Amino acid sequence: MKNGNEFIREELEKCVKCGKCRWICPVFEEEQREPFVARGHFSLLEELRNQTIKPEGSRIKELFGKCILCTSCVEICPNDAPTDTIVTLARHMLLEHSSLPLYKKLFFWLLKDRKKLDLTVTAGAAVSVAAKQKKNGQEFPFINRFFPKIYKKSLLQSLADIPKKGENNVVLFMSCLVNYSYQSVGYALVDILKKLNIGSTLPKKQLCCGAPAYFAGDFETAAYLARHNIDLFEKLNLPVLLPEPTCASMIKYDYPKLFTFLEDEEYRKKAEKVSKLFYDPVFYLYHNSNLKKLMKNSINTNVTYHDPCHLAKTQKVTAEPRELIKKTGADIIEMSDSLRCCGNGGTFSIDWRNLSLKIMDKKIEDIKNTGAATVVTGCSACMMQISEGLYRKDQDIVVMHTLELINKALMPFTPQQK
C-alpha cells in the first residue's frame, strides 16, 4: 500500500501545467487569476509541502477555498490530474494550522449523531414556517437565502421499513438533502421500485456520507462517518441506490482515497469493496430493470436537462437520464452548456456567496434561453441552487429530479409528506 505522501507525490506529478483547465474552470472564469485555476492549485500545494509558503493566514485559505470541486478540470486534463483531491489535501494540511468556522464545527458534530441532527432539523422546520413560501422552496429574508422546504420528520423517520419483496433486492441510501428537504425524490424512488417489483430495504442507521467534512479537510469526521457506513453496507452486500451524485462519488471514489491518506489499510480494502455496491438509481434501473418497457409516453411538455457535476463528470452518467426522459414523452431541449456547473458546491455557496451567485447566473441564462417549462436534473443540491437562481430572476420554471419525472410517467406521486 502507498502511504499518503507517496500518493500525493505521484498525483502532483500528473499536472504538466498545460493550461487546459483555464477555460473550463467556473471559478477562473470569474476570478481570472492563476492561483484559482487547477495548475495554480498544484503549484501552491507543492510550495506548501516544500515550506516555501506559510500555511497560515486568510489569503492561503482563500486560494484553496475558492474551488468548487466540480471536477471540470479533471475531466479535461489529458493526465487525469485530480485537482479535487489536491485541493482537499491542501485544506486538510491548512487545518493543522487553523480551525474550521464555527458553523462547520457544529454541523460536522451533528452529522455524527442522527438523533441530534433530527432534533436540530425539527427545530429548523419550526423556524422555517415564518419564511416566505415559494413554489420550489422558501425565502429567508434575514439571511438573503432561498432554501428548500424543511420537513419536521426526516424521510428515514417517515418511511416504514420496506419489506424485501420481488426480485433483485436493493438497498437505499438517502442523502441529507433528500432525507430532510427533497423528500419527494426519495418517495419517487420508492414508488418506482414498487412498480418494478424490486424489493428494497432502507437501513435506518445510515449516516451522512461525510462529503461536507472531507471536502473541508476534516478527515477525522469524514473517517468516522465513512467507517460507520462501510460497516453497515458491507454486511448487507447488495446494490445500493443513492439519488445524490456527490454522496455517491464520495463513497465510490473518495472513501478509498481517504483511508489511503490516513494509512488505514483495513478500511481502505473495505472501502474498495463497498464502493462497487453504490449506483446512481437512474443508471442502475436503466441497465438492470424493465423500466424502459414500462414507461408511459404521457408527459406532454418540453424540458431541459442539467448535468450534475458529480454524475456526468465523475460517474460518467449522461446518456441514461436523457433516454429515460425521452421515454416519458417529454421533449428535451438541450441548453448551450448542460455541463456548466450551477455554482452550489455545498458549503462553497455559503463561504463564497457572491462568487457562487455569479456562477449560478450563467447557468440560469442557459436554462432561460431554452424556453423549456421544466428543468430536470439528477441532484438535489443542483435543484436547490437552480431553484434559487430562477426565483431571483423571477422565472416561473419548474425544477424536478429525474426520478420524479420518471415516476410521474409511471404512476401518481405518493402523497406521504407531512
mmCIF file of all heavy atoms in Angstrom, residues 133-156:
data_model
loop_
_atom_site.group_PDB
_atom_site.id
_atom_site.type_symbol
_atom_site.label_atom_id
_atom_site.label_comp_id
_atom_site.label_asym_id
_atom_site.label_seq_id
_atom_site.Cartn_x
_atom_site.Cartn_y
_atom_site.Cartn_z
ATOM 1 N N GLN A 133 -43.162 31.576 1.562
ATOM 2 C CA GLN A 133 -43.314 30.346 0.781
ATOM 3 C C GLN A 133 -43.227 30.643 -0.714
ATOM 4 O O GLN A 133 -43.703 31.660 -1.192
ATOM 5 C CB GLN A 133 -44.653 29.680 1.097
ATOM 6 C CG GLN A 133 -44.818 29.301 2.554
ATOM 7 C CD GLN A 133 -43.812 28.258 2.995
ATOM 8 O OE1 GLN A 133 -43.658 27.230 2.369
ATOM 9 N NE2 GLN A 133 -43.131 28.532 4.090
ATOM 10 N N LYS A 134 -42.610 29.731 -1.428
ATOM 11 C CA LYS A 134 -42.475 29.828 -2.873
ATOM 12 C C LYS A 134 -42.628 28.426 -3.448
ATOM 13 O O LYS A 134 -42.495 27.432 -2.732
ATOM 14 C CB LYS A 134 -41.104 30.410 -3.220
ATOM 15 C CG LYS A 134 -40.915 30.808 -4.677
ATOM 16 C CD LYS A 134 -41.601 32.094 -5.030
ATOM 17 C CE LYS A 134 -41.266 32.507 -6.461
ATOM 18 N NZ LYS A 134 -42.000 33.681 -6.896
ATOM 19 N N LYS A 135 -42.896 28.316 -4.745
ATOM 20 C CA LYS A 135 -43.207 27.020 -5.349
ATOM 21 C C LYS A 135 -42.141 25.965 -5.042
ATOM 22 O O LYS A 135 -42.455 24.852 -4.641
ATOM 23 C CB LYS A 135 -43.331 27.173 -6.864
ATOM 24 C CG LYS A 135 -43.657 25.871 -7.584
ATOM 25 C CD LYS A 135 -43.620 26.018 -9.089
ATOM 26 C CE LYS A 135 -44.670 26.984 -9.574
ATOM 27 N NZ LYS A 135 -44.693 27.068 -11.063
ATOM 28 N N ASN A 136 -40.879 26.296 -5.219
ATOM 29 C CA ASN A 136 -39.813 25.314 -5.066
ATOM 30 C C ASN A 136 -39.053 25.442 -3.743
ATOM 31 O O ASN A 136 -37.991 24.872 -3.577
ATOM 32 C CB ASN A 136 -38.825 25.416 -6.229
ATOM 33 C CG ASN A 136 -39.469 25.031 -7.542
ATOM 34 O OD1 ASN A 136 -40.192 24.052 -7.616
ATOM 35 N ND2 ASN A 136 -39.229 25.817 -8.586
ATOM 36 N N GLY A 137 -39.618 26.186 -2.801
ATOM 37 C CA GLY A 137 -38.921 26.331 -1.531
ATOM 38 C C GLY A 137 -39.422 27.537 -0.763
ATOM 39 O O GLY A 137 -40.580 27.907 -0.843
ATOM 40 N N GLN A 138 -38.530 28.170 -0.020
ATOM 41 C CA GLN A 138 -38.930 29.311 0.788
ATOM 42 C C GLN A 138 -37.770 30.286 0.949
ATOM 43 O O GLN A 138 -36.599 29.911 0.945
ATOM 44 C CB GLN A 138 -39.438 28.835 2.147
ATOM 45 C CG GLN A 138 -38.562 27.812 2.813
ATOM 46 C CD GLN A 138 -39.333 26.863 3.704
ATOM 47 O OE1 GLN A 138 -38.984 25.714 3.837
ATOM 48 N NE2 GLN A 138 -40.366 27.325 4.366
ATOM 49 N N GLU A 139 -38.125 31.553 1.112
ATOM 50 C CA GLU A 139 -37.121 32.600 1.222
ATOM 51 C C GLU A 139 -36.925 32.985 2.684
ATOM 52 O O GLU A 139 -37.877 33.167 3.432
ATOM 53 C CB GLU A 139 -37.551 33.836 0.431
ATOM 54 C CG GLU A 139 -36.534 34.969 0.502
ATOM 55 C CD GLU A 139 -37.077 36.251 -0.115
ATOM 56 O OE1 GLU A 139 -38.302 36.330 -0.345
ATOM 57 O OE2 GLU A 139 -36.282 37.172 -0.327
ATOM 58 N N PHE A 140 -35.651 33.096 3.096
ATOM 59 C CA PHE A 140 -35.306 33.551 4.434
ATOM 60 C C PHE A 140 -34.702 34.949 4.306
ATOM 61 O O PHE A 140 -33.499 35.098 4.070
ATOM 62 C CB PHE A 140 -34.307 32.591 5.086
ATOM 63 C CG PHE A 140 -34.907 31.262 5.458
ATOM 64 C CD1 PHE A 140 -35.167 30.302 4.497
ATOM 65 C CD2 PHE A 140 -35.211 30.970 6.773
ATOM 66 C CE1 PHE A 140 -35.724 29.084 4.832
ATOM 67 C CE2 PHE A 140 -35.761 29.745 7.123
ATOM 68 C CZ PHE A 140 -36.021 28.800 6.146
ATOM 69 N N PRO A 141 -35.515 35.987 4.454
ATOM 70 C CA PRO A 141 -35.040 37.353 4.186
ATOM 71 C C PRO A 141 -33.869 37.776 5.064
ATOM 72 O O PRO A 141 -32.989 38.503 4.609
ATOM 73 C CB PRO A 141 -36.281 38.212 4.469
ATOM 74 C CG PRO A 141 -37.439 37.267 4.410
ATOM 75 C CD PRO A 141 -36.916 35.955 4.861
ATOM 76 N N PHE A 142 -33.829 37.324 6.316
ATOM 77 C CA PHE A 142 -32.801 37.812 7.236
ATOM 78 C C PHE A 142 -31.410 37.302 6.892
ATOM 79 O O PHE A 142 -30.413 37.808 7.368
ATOM 80 C CB PHE A 142 -33.150 37.431 8.689
ATOM 81 C CG PHE A 142 -33.461 35.970 8.892
ATOM 82 C CD1 PHE A 142 -32.487 35.066 9.260
ATOM 83 C CD2 PHE A 142 -34.768 35.509 8.696
ATOM 84 C CE1 PHE A 142 -32.787 33.729 9.446
ATOM 85 C CE2 PHE A 142 -35.075 34.175 8.879
ATOM 86 C CZ PHE A 142 -34.087 33.274 9.257
ATOM 87 N N ILE A 143 -31.326 36.276 6.032
ATOM 88 C CA ILE A 143 -30.011 35.830 5.565
ATOM 89 C C ILE A 143 -29.929 35.887 4.042
ATOM 90 O O ILE A 143 -28.959 35.412 3.454
ATOM 91 C CB ILE A 143 -29.681 34.398 6.046
ATOM 92 C CG1 ILE A 143 -30.793 33.421 5.636
ATOM 93 C CG2 ILE A 143 -29.438 34.362 7.528
ATOM 94 C CD1 ILE A 143 -30.453 31.975 5.964
ATOM 95 N N ASN A 144 -30.958 36.477 3.415
ATOM 96 C CA ASN A 144 -30.972 36.650 1.964
ATOM 97 C C ASN A 144 -30.666 35.340 1.252
ATOM 98 O O ASN A 144 -29.834 35.261 0.369
ATOM 99 C CB ASN A 144 -29.957 37.724 1.553
ATOM 100 C CG ASN A 144 -30.100 38.088 0.078
ATOM 101 O OD1 ASN A 144 -31.185 38.016 -0.479
ATOM 102 N ND2 ASN A 144 -28.999 38.458 -0.545
ATOM 103 N N ARG A 145 -31.346 34.292 1.665
ATOM 104 C CA ARG A 145 -31.069 32.974 1.092
ATOM 105 C C ARG A 145 -32.365 32.210 0.862
ATOM 106 O O ARG A 145 -33.300 32.317 1.641
ATOM 107 C CB ARG A 145 -30.161 32.160 2.044
ATOM 108 C CG ARG A 145 -29.593 30.876 1.406
ATOM 109 C CD ARG A 145 -28.559 31.226 0.374
ATOM 110 N NE ARG A 145 -28.278 30.105 -0.509
ATOM 111 C CZ ARG A 145 -27.302 29.221 -0.322
ATOM 112 N NH1 ARG A 145 -26.515 29.315 0.723
ATOM 113 N NH2 ARG A 145 -27.094 28.248 -1.183
ATOM 114 N N PHE A 146 -32.393 31.471 -0.209
ATOM 115 C CA PHE A 146 -33.557 30.681 -0.597
ATOM 116 C C PHE A 146 -33.254 29.205 -0.331
ATOM 117 O O PHE A 146 -32.224 28.681 -0.751
ATOM 118 C CB PHE A 146 -33.829 30.900 -2.079
ATOM 119 C CG PHE A 146 -35.053 30.214 -2.595
ATOM 120 C CD1 PHE A 146 -36.300 30.768 -2.417
ATOM 121 C CD2 PHE A 146 -34.955 29.014 -3.284
ATOM 122 C CE1 PHE A 146 -37.431 30.156 -2.921
ATOM 123 C CE2 PHE A 146 -36.074 28.391 -3.789
ATOM 124 C CZ PHE A 146 -37.315 28.958 -3.601
ATOM 125 N N PHE A 147 -34.126 28.532 0.420
ATOM 126 C CA PHE A 147 -33.905 27.143 0.792
ATOM 127 C C PHE A 147 -35.099 26.286 0.396
ATOM 128 O O PHE A 147 -36.230 26.771 0.300
ATOM 129 C CB PHE A 147 -33.716 27.017 2.311
ATOM 130 C CG PHE A 147 -32.357 27.415 2.793
ATOM 131 C CD1 PHE A 147 -32.182 28.607 3.475
ATOM 132 C CD2 PHE A 147 -31.255 26.607 2.581
ATOM 133 C CE1 PHE A 147 -30.942 28.989 3.934
ATOM 134 C CE2 PHE A 147 -30.005 26.978 3.033
ATOM 135 C CZ PHE A 147 -29.845 28.174 3.710
ATOM 136 N N PRO A 148 -34.861 25.002 0.205
ATOM 137 C CA PRO A 148 -35.992 24.100 0.022
ATOM 138 C C PRO A 148 -36.751 23.950 1.334
ATOM 139 O O PRO A 148 -36.233 24.281 2.405
ATOM 140 C CB PRO A 148 -35.326 22.777 -0.382
ATOM 141 C CG PRO A 148 -33.971 22.842 0.244
ATOM 142 C CD PRO A 148 -33.575 24.288 0.157
ATOM 143 N N LYS A 149 -37.961 23.435 1.249
ATOM 144 C CA LYS A 149 -38.752 23.217 2.451
ATOM 145 C C LYS A 149 -38.059 22.233 3.378
ATOM 146 O O LYS A 149 -37.462 21.257 2.940
ATOM 147 C CB LYS A 149 -40.132 22.671 2.079
ATOM 148 C CG LYS A 149 -41.032 22.418 3.277
ATOM 149 C CD LYS A 149 -42.407 21.934 2.856
ATOM 150 C CE LYS A 149 -43.291 21.659 4.060
ATOM 151 N NZ LYS A 149 -44.641 21.211 3.680
ATOM 152 N N ILE A 150 -38.139 22.502 4.678
ATOM 153 C CA ILE A 150 -37.581 21.596 5.687
ATOM 154 C C ILE A 150 -38.741 20.860 6.349
ATOM 155 O O ILE A 150 -39.670 21.491 6.862
ATOM 156 C CB ILE A 150 -36.775 22.373 6.751
ATOM 157 C CG1 ILE A 150 -35.656 23.182 6.085
ATOM 158 C CG2 ILE A 150 -36.185 21.415 7.775
ATOM 159 C CD1 ILE A 150 -34.962 24.151 7.021
ATOM 160 N N TYR A 151 -38.696 19.540 6.349
ATOM 161 C CA TYR A 151 -39.784 18.751 6.920
ATOM 162 C C TYR A 151 -39.525 18.466 8.405
ATOM 163 O O TYR A 151 -38.372 18.325 8.829
ATOM 164 C CB TYR A 151 -39.944 17.433 6.162
ATOM 165 C CG TYR A 151 -40.529 17.619 4.783
ATOM 166 C CD1 TYR A 151 -39.706 17.762 3.675
ATOM 167 C CD2 TYR A 151 -41.899 17.683 4.593
ATOM 168 C CE1 TYR A 151 -40.231 17.950 2.406
ATOM 169 C CE2 TYR A 151 -42.446 17.870 3.329
ATOM 170 C CZ TYR A 151 -41.602 18.001 2.244
ATOM 171 O OH TYR A 151 -42.130 18.197 0.993
ATOM 172 N N LYS A 152 -40.607 18.380 9.166
ATOM 173 C CA LYS A 152 -40.493 18.132 10.600
ATOM 174 C C LYS A 152 -39.941 16.745 10.898
ATOM 175 O O LYS A 152 -39.244 16.537 11.886
ATOM 176 C CB LYS A 152 -41.858 18.302 11.273
ATOM 177 C CG LYS A 152 -42.393 19.727 11.234
ATOM 178 C CD LYS A 152 -43.763 19.824 11.894
ATOM 179 C CE LYS A 152 -44.297 21.242 11.832
ATOM 180 N NZ LYS A 152 -45.641 21.362 12.449
ATOM 181 N N LYS A 153 -40.300 15.793 10.055
ATOM 182 C CA LYS A 153 -39.798 14.428 10.214
ATOM 183 C C LYS A 153 -38.940 14.075 9.012
ATOM 184 O O LYS A 153 -39.305 14.367 7.869
ATOM 185 C CB LYS A 153 -40.965 13.438 10.332
ATOM 186 C CG LYS A 153 -41.743 13.535 11.629
ATOM 187 C CD LYS A 153 -42.861 12.516 11.666
ATOM 188 C CE LYS A 153 -42.331 11.095 11.703
ATOM 189 N NZ LYS A 153 -43.428 10.095 11.843
ATOM 190 N N SER A 154 -37.820 13.437 9.270
ATOM 191 C CA SER A 154 -36.938 13.043 8.183
ATOM 192 C C SER A 154 -37.562 11.899 7.390
ATOM 193 O O SER A 154 -38.499 11.236 7.849
ATOM 194 C CB SER A 154 -35.573 12.608 8.731
ATOM 195 O OG SER A 154 -35.686 11.335 9.365
ATOM 196 N N LEU A 155 -37.022 11.666 6.215
ATOM 197 C CA LEU A 155 -37.507 10.566 5.392
ATOM 198 C C LEU A 155 -37.233 9.222 6.074
ATOM 199 O O LEU A 155 -38.058 8.298 6.017
ATOM 200 C CB LEU A 155 -36.824 10.607 4.023
ATOM 201 C CG LEU A 155 -37.470 9.812 2.890
ATOM 202 C CD1 LEU A 155 -38.865 10.332 2.607
ATOM 203 C CD2 LEU A 155 -36.619 9.892 1.635
ATOM 204 N N LEU A 156 -36.100 9.111 6.739
ATOM 205 C CA LEU A 156 -35.778 7.884 7.461
ATOM 206 C C LEU A 156 -36.771 7.627 8.587
ATOM 207 O O LEU A 156 -37.067 6.472 8.907
ATOM 208 C CB LEU A 156 -34.355 7.964 8.037
ATOM 209 C CG LEU A 156 -33.207 7.897 7.018
ATOM 210 C CD1 LEU A 156 -31.872 8.138 7.715
ATOM 211 C CD2 LEU A 156 -33.188 6.558 6.301
#
